[in-house]
């Protein structure tokens, strides 16, 4: 790497730019949920229209993640990151100015597409800029910021909606995006993957398969699991993903080489990530409603009371990253997942229609520490489980599985909740939430078991050579 490129691609700048960009993309997963009543009052629309303001973003984000990573590897990660950031920022402004519910849904879909290009490239750009010995700490800070964004979405959305207007949940992205665009151009170094041609058949099969499955999972709780479009999405999506796997085992330059999954490290951390997001997203979805609808807190009050959980990554995740550098990511990730499972199980036992905050606090703290211990080392494990030239697609695949896990978590938790309880009274809500939280706890514990199957750090490094310094990437300065 030349001196100019090293200066331009300084680790501190890369960490700041990629963390803020990741925060923006992750925040918009759940930021709309607490603003839906205000959006309906302003723009109208039926219940299914409001649901699509959330689902449109989730769909395009999950479906295009691997495609965005592949495009970055082929045409330049910095270049595609800037393009995705520009699309995301412009779509955020369009959402804020939307004159009707249909235009808001369309803007959200475009937002998701921009985030899908931008998000997986944040990790590869960060990896290229940070020396191998310091990546654990960098991933820790990156993971803390992204974990905070995922968990604090309802708080940010509720606070802005309650005290200003719902449009500001989208306007918030615009100054951040406009500030990051020139910084990314000036301060990030360009890097590429293997230089292989874009895998068009693989891209179409993966995108179509993910679209069908995520569509079915998103629409299942609202439309019914036996609905024609839901069943068609699930079955057709599954068939396309099977075809994608079969095709990728035979293709010369596949979008996602199936041989990666022969690595216990890659397979283990991806299984753990999917299960972690399944349990976490579904739990946050129900607990935010529990605090507002049952305990009577306002959106801002509920968000503040969840800070021992949602804010913990900012305190613990950087420490977790340093710890992972010293002892390896596997024990830290596994400990975090088991603590998260313990916290969810504890919450299920103390949740009542009139539970005091003091009774809930230990569960929130335990869950927060667990989530913080997971995020940073998990990112490190993903990036170190493959060769440097394959880190872009590895990041895209891991992010896609996380999104599918999140959509599946909300669908599963909502189905269990509806079968065991409902919204009629506070007690019926608790009756439905408790078994859902127990299920979430069991799923996250299973993620901890998957993490324990990951080989030790030294064995993984010998197999992949993935912790070699970033200059192994094809780096150029412009």
């Amino acid at each position: 790497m030349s001196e100019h490129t090293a200066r331009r691609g300084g680790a501190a700048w890369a960490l700041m730019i990629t963390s803020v960009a990741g925060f923006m993309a992750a925040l918009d997963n759940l930021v709309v949920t607490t603003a839906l009543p205000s959006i309906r009052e302003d723009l109208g629309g039926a219940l299914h229209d409001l649901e699509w303001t959330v689902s449109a973003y989730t769909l395009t984000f999950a479906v295009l993640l691997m495609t965005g990573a592949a495009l970055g590897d082929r045409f330049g990660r910095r270049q595609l990151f800037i393009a995705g950031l520009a699309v995301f920022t412009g779509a955020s402004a369009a959402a804020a100015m939307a004159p009707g519910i249909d235009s808001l849904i369309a803007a959200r879909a475009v937002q998701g597409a921009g985030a899908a290009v931008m998000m997986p490239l944040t990790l590869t750009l960060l990896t290229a800029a940070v020396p191998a010995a310091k990546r654990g700490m960098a991933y820790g800070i990156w993971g803390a910021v992204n974990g905070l964004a995922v968990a604090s979405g309802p708080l940010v959305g509720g606070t802005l909606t309650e005290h200003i207007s719902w449009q500001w949940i989208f306007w918030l992205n615009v100054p951040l995006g406009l500030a990051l665009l020139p910084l990314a151009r000036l301060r990030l170094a360009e890097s590429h993957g293997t230089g292989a041609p874009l895998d068009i058949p693989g891209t179409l099969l993966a995108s179509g398969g993910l679209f069908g499955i995520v569509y079915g999972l998103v629409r299942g709780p609202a439309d019914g699991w036996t609905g024609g479009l839901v069943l068609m999405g699930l079955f057709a999506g599954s068939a396309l993903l099977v075809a994608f796997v079969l095709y990728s085992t035979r293709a010369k330059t596949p979008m996602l080489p199936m041989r990666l999954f022969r690595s216990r490290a890659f397979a283990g951390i991806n299984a753990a990530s999917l299960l972690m997001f399944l349990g976490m997203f579904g739990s946050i979805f129900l607990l935010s409603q529990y605090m507002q609808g049952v305990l009577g807190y306002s959106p801002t009050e509920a968000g503040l009371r969840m800070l021992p959980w949602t804010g913990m990554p900012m305190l613990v995740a950087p420490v977790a990253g340093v710890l992972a550098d010293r002892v390896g990511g596997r024990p830290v990730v596994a400990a975090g997942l088991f603590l998260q499972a313990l916290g969810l199980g504890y919450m299920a036992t103390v949740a009542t229609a009139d539970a005091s905050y003091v009774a809930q606090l230990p569960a929130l703290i335990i869950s927060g520490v667990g989530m913080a211990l997971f995020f940073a080392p998990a990112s490190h494990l993903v990036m170190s489980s493959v060769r440097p030239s394959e880190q872009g697609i590895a990041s895209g695949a891991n992010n896609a599985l996380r999104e599918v896990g999140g959509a599946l978590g909300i669908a599963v938790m909502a189905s269990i909740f509806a079968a065991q309880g409902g919204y009629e009274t506070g007690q019926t809500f608790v009756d439905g939430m408790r078994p859902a939280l127990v299920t979430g706890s069991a799923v996250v514990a299973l993620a901890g078991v998957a993490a324990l199957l990951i080989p030790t750090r030294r064995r993984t490094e010998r197999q992949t050579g993935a912790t070699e310094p970033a200059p192994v990437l094809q780096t150029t300065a412009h």
Side-chain angles (χ1 to χ4, degrees), residues 11-350:
W13 279 110
L15 179 59
M16 186 275 288
I17 294 167
T18 57
S19 294
V20 174
F23 179 90
M24 293 163 61
L27 182 72
D28 275 59
N29 256 315
L30 293 173
V31 73
V32 178
T33 52
T34 47
L36 292 179
S38 298
I39 292 174
R40 183 177 186 181
E41 185 178 337
D42 271 10
L43 301 183
L47 178 61
H48 69 273
D49 293 320
L50 293 176
E51 291 169 346
W52 270 112
T53 63
V54 179
S55 302
Y57 183 88
T58 303
L59 266 175
T60 53
F61 189 30
V63 165
L64 297 175
L65 273 164
M66 284 199 296
T67 302
L71 289 172
D73 283 352
R74 180 67 180 87
F75 298 108
R77 291 161 179 164
R78 184 188 64 183
Q79 181 175 324
L80 264 292
F81 172 82
I82 291 172
L85 178 60
V87 169
F88 181 86
T89 304
S92 297
M97 296 186 292
I101 193 70
D102 291 336
S103 55
L104 176 59
I105 293 170
R108 287 284 288 166
V110 177
Q111 246 193 328
V117 174
M118 175 176 70
M119 186 66 172
L121 298 177
T122 59
L123 264 183
T124 47
L125 288 166
L126 182 60
T127 301
V130 177
K134 296 182 179 180
R135 285 179 192 158
M137 181 183 293
Y139 291 147
I141 297 171
W142 182 91
V145 173
N146 280 269
L148 178 65
V150 170
S152 65
L155 167 62
V156 174
T159 301
L160 290 173
T161 301
E162 186 177 340
H163 298 293
I164 308 178
S165 72
W166 66 263
Q167 284 89 347
W168 275 93
I169 64 179
F170 301 116
W171 281 126
L172 177 66
N173 294 323
V174 176
L176 291 174
L178 291 177
L180 288 184
L181 283 168
L183 287 176
R185 179 68 183 86
L186 295 172
R187 294 294 180 178
L188 291 179
E190 185 62 283
S191 63
H192 297 77
T194 61
L198 191 63
D199 178 14
I200 301 297
T203 300
L204 294 175
L205 287 171
S207 300
L210 286 172
F211 179 87
I213 287 179
V214 176
Y215 177 89
L217 293 175
V218 165
R219 301 307 306 166
D223 297 347
W225 293 104
T226 58
L229 288 176
V230 171
L231 288 176
M232 184 174 70
L234 292 173
F235 284 115
S238 299
L240 287 173
L241 285 185
V242 169
F244 170 70
V245 171
L246 294 174
Y247 163 80
S248 297
T249 58
R250 296 173 173 81
K252 290 183 178 180
T253 55
M255 174 187 186
L256 177 61
M258 289 297 111
R259 60 177 171 74
L260 295 181
F261 289 96
R262 298 190 199 122
S263 161
R264 276 173 50 199
F266 186 78
I269 189 56
N270 278 288
S273 296
L274 186 148
L275 293 169
M276 160 64 175
F277 272 66
L278 194 160
M280 185 189 71
F281 259 66
S283 299
I284 290 175
F285 177 74
L286 289 175
L287 285 172
S288 62
Q289 295 182 71
Y290 166 68
M291 288 195 166
Q292 295 177 59
V294 177
L295 300 182
Y297 300 126
S298 71
T300 304
E301 291 170 338
L304 289 173
R305 282 165 175 78
M306 289 183 73
L307 276 179
W309 182 10
T310 60
M312 197 62 70
M314 291 298 291
L315 300 176
V316 179
V319 179
V322 175
L323 190 61
D325 278 341
R326 295 187 177 182
V327 303
R330 180 180 71 166
V332 182
V333 164
L337 290 168
F338 288 128
L339 281 174
Q340 177 87 348
L342 177 63
L344 291 177
Y346 189 104
M347 179 63 78
T349 64
V350 301

